[in-house]
Amino acid sequence: MSEFTIRAAVVGDVPVILELIRGLAEYERAPDQVVCDEARLRESLFGAQPDAEVLLACVGDRAAGFAVFFHNYSTWWGRRGIYLEDLFVRPEMRGRGIGKGLLQAVARIARDRECARIEWSVLDWNQPAIDFYRSLGAVAKDEWTIYRINRPEIEKLAGTD
Amino acid sequence: MSEFTIRAAVVGDVPVILELIRGLAEYERAPDQVVCDEARLRESLFGAQPDAEVLLACVGDRAAGFAVFFHNYSTWWGRRGIYLEDLFVRPEMRGRGIGKGLLQAVARIARDRECARIEWSVLDWNQPAIDFYRSLGAVAKDEWTIYRINRPEIEKLAGTD
């Protein structure tokens, strides 16, 4: 029997979701970059048009980890995929297969929704994660780099005629 | 006066969208990887729940280039962003500012929808694109690598108990 259960998060989970987001940001060495609050999460995840979906892994009543994902799209396949934005297990809850359990749950959703693929991003120094993902058959898209523009550059670009 | 116009694609544009997808795949040295057809594009882009949005840049009646995008989500911001899946201008139509025009149109949508950021992926050997994006203030997320699992690995992971 499994030591943990996985379920879709509900609006009452917002405080613990924010706690897990902060836990992951700390692990990623960027704790100051979490600027959202509970109201923003409630609106974006549980409003009329949710922007992403959240799975919670629980040990008893306690949330031990989470997965946050949304659908992306492949023009090569003409089909949606899943982009896994966050996958995190509290440090003291590791070693019980919870991370793999969350990924399996995401894979079942991807299978049931006929998705072309699952993608996610990994920090280059996070060797334990890289080893884990490779063991599941994941392939690194080494030849691609993600570029980003933030709000100030968006405003500037949008305002140019 | 601009030499080109930009508009949202409609279902009648599916044949030219497929042509542009193939043109981009050829430029990316992966022409065999386009497995979708017109029916799949029609369903996924113009069905009841579109998986992505398409902008077309036209010179006269001719589609000169396109942008394909969907919304992603940032847990740090608790806000959606835009992920630009494809941006392509036909080789013979370059040098007229069409690529920048498409990016500006996407930036205006991002601004109007209060998105946190715009992100996209660039092939490491595509120096003209990298120079262009950097000139617009884009920043490379050098420390991140994208990982992917495809259908066979998804089925395998989903089926494990």
Side-chain angles (χ1 to χ4, degrees):
Chain A
M1 204 186 106
S2 181
E3 285 181 69
F4 59 89
T5 54
I6 292 176
R7 62 171 174 82
V10 295
V11 65
D13 297 315
V14 160
V16 81
I17 292 172
L18 186 53
E19 205 180 300
L20 291 164
I21 290 170
R22 289 187 176 140
L24 175 55
E26 202 158 311
Y27 181 73
E28 289 179 346
R29 304 171 189 174
D32 302 338
Q33 298 205 32
V34 178
V35 297
C36 79
D37 55 20
E38 291 188 10
R40 191 96 278 292
L41 279 186
R42 202 172 299 118
E43 165 69 19
S44 60
L45 295 175
F46 301 99
Q49 286 191 301
D51 296 324
E53 297 174 63
V54 182
L55 296 178
L56 277 188
C58 300
V59 174
D61 285 344
R62 180 144 195 258
F66 77 153
V68 181
F69 65 94
F70 51 81
H71 284 292
N72 59 11
Y73 180 72
S74 163
T75 41
W76 290 0
W77 287 89
R79 205 173 273 281
R80 63 186 181 168
I82 281 183
Y83 188 86
L84 183 60
E85 176 69 16
D86 284 354
L87 180 72
F88 179 66
V89 178
R90 292 187 202 269
E92 68 274 21
M93 296 287 196
R94 292 184 190 161
R96 308 173 185 213
I98 295 176
K100 187 169 180 189
L102 283 163
L103 254 181
Q104 282 178 322
V106 173
R108 284 173 191 145
I109 292 169
R111 180 193 59 191
D112 295 348
R113 297 184 190 173
E114 300 186 354
C115 294
R117 58 198 187 189
I118 305 174
E119 293 176 305
W120 62 95
S121 296
V122 185
L123 279 160
D124 290 338
W125 51 256
N126 193 356
Q127 198 59 48
I130 292 168
D131 293 342
F132 169 57
Y133 296 138
R134 284 193 189 279
S135 77
L136 301 175
V139 174
K141 295 178 65 183
D142 283 324
E143 76 279 30
W144 293 89
T145 299
I146 303 168
Y147 281 75
R148 169 185 289 176
I149 59 174
N150 292 312
R151 287 288 267 271
E153 290 77 28
I154 290 173
E155 299 277 350
K156 198 174 154 199
L157 188 57
T160 318
D161 281 319
Chain B
M1 205 185 106
S2 180
E3 284 180 67
F4 59 90
T5 54
I6 292 176
R7 63 170 175 81
V10 296
V11 67
D13 296 315
V14 159
V16 81
I17 293 171
L18 186 53
E19 204 180 300
L20 291 164
I21 291 170
R22 288 185 175 139
L24 175 55
E26 201 158 311
Y27 181 73
E28 289 178 346
R29 305 172 188 171
D32 301 339
Q33 299 204 31
V34 178
V35 297
C36 77
D37 56 19
E38 291 188 10
R40 192 95 277 293
L41 279 187
R42 205 173 297 117
E43 165 69 18
S44 59
L45 295 175
F46 302 99
Q49 287 191 302
D51 295 325
E53 299 175 63
V54 183
L55 296 177
L56 278 187
C58 300
V59 174
D61 284 344
R62 181 143 195 258
F66 77 153
V68 181
F69 64 94
F70 52 80
H71 283 291
N72 59 11
Y73 181 73
S74 161
T75 40
W76 290 1
W77 287 89
R79 203 175 273 280
R80 63 186 180 167
I82 281 183
Y83 188 86
L84 182 60
E85 177 69 14
D86 283 354
L87 179 72
F88 179 66
V89 177
R90 292 186 201 271
E92 68 275 21
M93 296 287 195
R94 292 183 191 162
R96 307 174 186 212
I98 295 175
K100 185 168 180 190
L102 283 163
L103 254 182
Q104 282 177 321
V106 173
R108 285 173 191 145
I109 292 169
R111 180 193 56 191
D112 296 348
R113 297 184 190 173
E114 301 186 353
C115 294
R117 57 199 188 189
I118 304 173
E119 293 176 303
W120 63 95
S121 297
V122 184
L123 279 160
D124 289 338
W125 50 257
N126 193 355
Q127 199 60 47
I130 292 168
D131 294 342
F132 169 57
Y133 295 138
R134 284 193 188 278
S135 77
L136 302 176
V139 174
K141 294 177 67 182
D142 283 325
E143 75 280 28
W144 292 88
T145 298
I146 303 166
Y147 281 75
R148 169 186 290 175
I149 59 174
N150 292 312
R151 287 287 267 272
E153 290 77 28
I154 290 173
E155 300 277 349
K156 198 173 155 203
L157 188 57
T160 318
D161 280 319

